[in-house]
Amino acid sequence: MTDCQTNNIETIVDTLLLIGGRVLVVSADGVIHQAWKSLGDGSDIDLNIDAIIASHRSIVAKCIALRKNDRTQHTIISGDSIIQLEIRFLTNHPDAERIFVVIDHVSTRHKTQVSEDFWRQALDSSGDGMWDVDVPARRISFSDRWHSVFGYTHEQITDLNQWINLIHPDDISDVQRIRNDYFAGETRYYHSEFRLKCSDGTYRWVLSRGVVIAYDDAGNPLRFIGTHTDIDARKKAEEKYASLAQMLAKLINNLNEGILVTDENDMIIFANQMFCDIYDIPGHPTEQSGVESSISLRKRMLKYTKPDEFRNRTLEIMHLKEIVLNEEWEMTDGKIISRDFLPLNFNDQKKGGIWKFRDVTAQKNTQKHIAELRNFYEKILNSIGADIVVYDSNFRYLYINPTAIKNEDLRHWLIGKTDEDYCRYRNKPLTMAAHRREILQKARDERREIEWEDVLVNKNGETEHHLRYMYPVFDEHGKHLYGIGYGLNITDRVKAQEQLKTSMDTFASAFNESGIGMALIGNDGKWLDVNNVLCSMTGYSREELQKISPQDITHPEDIDIDAHLLRKMLKGEINSYSVEKRYISRLGKIVQILLTVSVVRGNNGEPKFFIAQVVDLTDKKEMVWALNKRNAELEVTKENLLNKINQLEELSYIIAHNLRGPAGNIRVLSESLLEVIKNKENENVATQPFTIEEAATMIHEGSAALMESLSTLMQITEIKLNKQIPIDNCDMDSIIRDVCNQLQAVIYEKKAIIRKHLNLTVIQYPKVYLEHILYNLLSNALKYTHEDVTPEIDILTNTVGDRVQLTIKDNGLGIDLEKHGHKMFRLNETFHRGFDSKGIGLYITKTQVESFGGSISVTSTPGKGSEFTVTL
């Protein structure tokens, strides 16, 4: 270096020291060759200059390579102090392989002063959840929204290793490489996409972006914060709508694109007309050849709303020369330009690149509109009580509504698969899939709607009839795009046709009564419209329901049962919900229902109206109660039968053993008697072993022994077959409550008053028998009542001596005991006309009570009521 150059450097350094407290001369490899420090720099601050330069070596190399100035911020945490530095990289050094680095001390603050600033930085880049890493301690924490999205509690994930274990095994190496490159200063941004395991075991794609907000004195990262953005829908949508993606890809590939090719020195060697049109570059595209990319970049960057970010990102791509795809930037005129960068290898192994530019403004707007329409129509389709499916051109499922396949997991699994896949998965004959494929191909080839009927056997072994339609969809060039399938379960209609072929009105009525109740509900909470099923279910006409709201017919105890779910749906946290509740029909009957509500939103995201589906569960609930009760009884009966079978096997052995001797004796004696009679006829008296009278006496004695054995065996049988059933400690409050729940509908309908007078709250007795006894007596008290008198029933428990008494007293119709008392507990005896009664209940009750040594009695006055007393 000449004396003139040395003097020139000293002059520059003096000037730069007026800007910053420290001036360095640094080469591209990060080596510091010279350093100066101004007297007013705050010499009490101890800075590790080597570590600072090492953390920004990539910027130094870029500035030297491009001969471009740059600047950045650098933060150091030292003890409780946070030091903020501004670093400038200046290329005005006489040696082209070196630059000046000016380090200026901006501020020193206590940690607590800047914590709010750091969190503000994190919030600026927030996505679906924030994370915060204490790098030295390897501790990590997440925001509440992150825990809500991925399903973990705050205590489950606190260690960095725990979080790393949630990353999909195929993605861990890439995540760690990107993070390490960022920590080493090889990249200016931390940006990573990977799959993260949720608490339910599923994986979701996330976009992780972050920034180191604090370094220690050695330049090592201390605090690393950022966000996770859920991109799972985007990833899965690309797979789910593969055919649509192919169509869009073909469309994009046929569009004109701006093309720019650069050599290894970033000199433009080719540009097409579309590139010039996008950036309003005048002249022929060939005039761009030989222009430095940096010069072209300075002009083009002004077209974008964020010119500095666009320039910095472009320089980074030019330096790294790695593949970049679909990077989008917004221009000042509102257009959105998507660009790709593909590196090229020339003969000398140096890299150039191809830039591709596309105007995707219309595509972005279209995608947004399609997404809104799809969301709207899927909600409608999901609410229709018919099978609806959509196939692609290769007969793979694109969409299936819940009516077609109710199992959500199976429905999601089938997307992208064929009927053949379904048959193999469900172990069904492939002939079914072949038949379906033949129909789909016929609809496509004949370019028309095809109608056919499927006859299926459901899981209960019952035959079902389904009417199917297949409608093919073609584009403007006649290419087959989709097939839309529509199906209805017409089993009820077919049965009606078979039974009542001459009555179309009856068929229409049966068809209209099938299905589920549906309604549209306005934002004011009132019915907008209802179907016939809902009208039939509630007993109100369509006009009557449209004047009131669902709350007006909801059971008082269930009005707020779904209020919290409705609030969550209005906030956008859920799209729909299902809940069981009770309606009160116009006739005052309780209707058990399954209510499913979904919301339809407008373009502004605000709810427009709600879709309600109502399934009548009343019969199902009653059947479940009855089935559970019957199963319990059968279980007890089964155990008793098994006991008795074992005992009978034992008794059969005893009988065979004990009767063998007497029976053998009788046989021998009878043969001897026949021989005596025969000899007497032949007058061969001398050969007779005994007389007829003696033989008869011996036979009598043998039969007496046989009868004695049989009597003994009968006593044994009675003892063995009278095996005790286990005794339970029965909580009478609980048993009465359970029985009343089973009879809830009739209690509510008749507005019955049931009073308990329990002097004994726990009774030792077989629980299933006690429940059955109480159920029979209480159901009879509710059944045989006056139409104009509120039923009043008293349940009493007392102790009489060493026995327990259960009393059921009512004010019902009563029984004429003078007329019917002698046949009160006989089988198949009934005492009131006009009631659904078979005369079995009291007979069974008496049998059960007496089987355990108890008794049952009744006092009754016709028209005033009855009182049954069970002594246990």
Side-chain angles (χ1 to χ4, degrees), residues 137-236:
R138 297 186 65 78
R139 304 292 293 175
I140 189 168
S141 61
F142 299 92
S143 66
D144 291 340
R145 179 165 177 76
W146 189 95
H147 288 285
S148 174
V149 171
F150 298 100
Y152 295 100
T153 65
H154 287 274
E155 293 76 18
Q156 285 180 290
I157 310 297
T158 59
D159 183 80
L160 190 58
N161 290 332
Q162 293 174 326
W163 175 77
I164 292 175
N165 289 335
L166 299 181
I167 300 174
H168 195 284
D170 295 342
D171 300 337
I172 289 178
S173 59
D174 287 341
V175 173
Q176 292 178 334
R177 175 183 57 79
I178 294 171
R179 182 198 61 194
N180 292 337
D181 287 348
Y182 174 71
F183 281 179
E186 298 297 328
T187 59
R188 297 186 64 182
Y189 305 96
Y190 174 75
H191 179 285
S192 178
E193 293 183 2
F194 53 89
R195 287 162 288 183
L196 191 67
K197 183 186 287 187
C198 300
S199 63
D200 60 2
T202 62
Y203 282 92
R204 298 184 72 84
W205 279 95
V206 298
L207 167 61
S208 182
R209 289 177 289 194
V211 60
V212 173
I213 64 169
Y215 296 84
D216 62 14
D217 295 341
N220 298 314
L222 291 177
R223 193 174 182 189
F224 187 30
I225 67 174
T227 63
H228 283 162
T229 300
D230 187 351
I231 60 172
D232 193 68
R234 188 194 77 195
K235 291 284 188 179
K236 289 183 178 178

Side-chain angles (χ1 to χ4, degrees), residues 26-28 56-72 87-93 95-101 188 312 315 319:
V26 184
S27 57
H56 297 290
R57 192 170 66 182
S58 62
I59 300 179
V60 173
K62 184 193 72 174
C63 291
I64 292 176
L66 301 178
R67 302 306 297 168
K68 298 294 183 182
N69 298 338
D70 203 352
R71 70 168 60 186
T72 188
I87 305 176
R88 303 185 187 188
F89 304 87
L90 307 176
T91 60
N92 56 343
H93 194 280
D95 187 345
E97 297 300 319
R98 299 182 181 183
I99 65 171
F100 288 107
V101 177
R188 297 186 64 182
N312 294 337
L315 291 175
H319 173 67

Side-chain angles (χ1 to χ4, degrees), residues 620-636:
K620 177 182 175 182
K621 289 284 186 181
E622 292 178 354
M623 289 175 64
V624 168
W625 277 106
L627 182 61
N628 289 340
K629 176 174 174 295
R630 187 58 179 164
N631 284 342
E633 294 174 353
L634 290 176
E635 188 64 26
V636 173

Side-chain angles (χ1 to χ4, degrees), residues 765-778:
Y765 203 77
K767 182 179 179 181
V768 65
Y769 277 20
L770 187 57
E771 286 179 339
H772 193 267
I773 292 167
L774 182 61
Y775 181 92
N776 278 334
L777 296 177
L778 188 57

Side-chain angles (χ1 to χ4, degrees), residues 261-302:
V261 183
T262 59
D263 63 11
E264 68 275 16
N265 297 316
D266 291 321
M267 299 292 290
I268 297 175
I269 59 177
F270 174 80
N272 70 351
Q273 184 61 51
M274 181 55 67
F275 171 81
C276 297
D277 292 343
I278 290 175
Y279 292 104
D280 297 325
I281 299 175
H284 196 273
T286 56
E287 296 176 9
Q288 299 301 308
S289 299
V291 177
E292 290 183 12
S293 297
S294 58
I295 296 175
S296 174
L297 176 61
R298 281 198 297 269
K299 296 178 181 179
R300 290 186 286 120
M301 62 183 280
L302 301 176

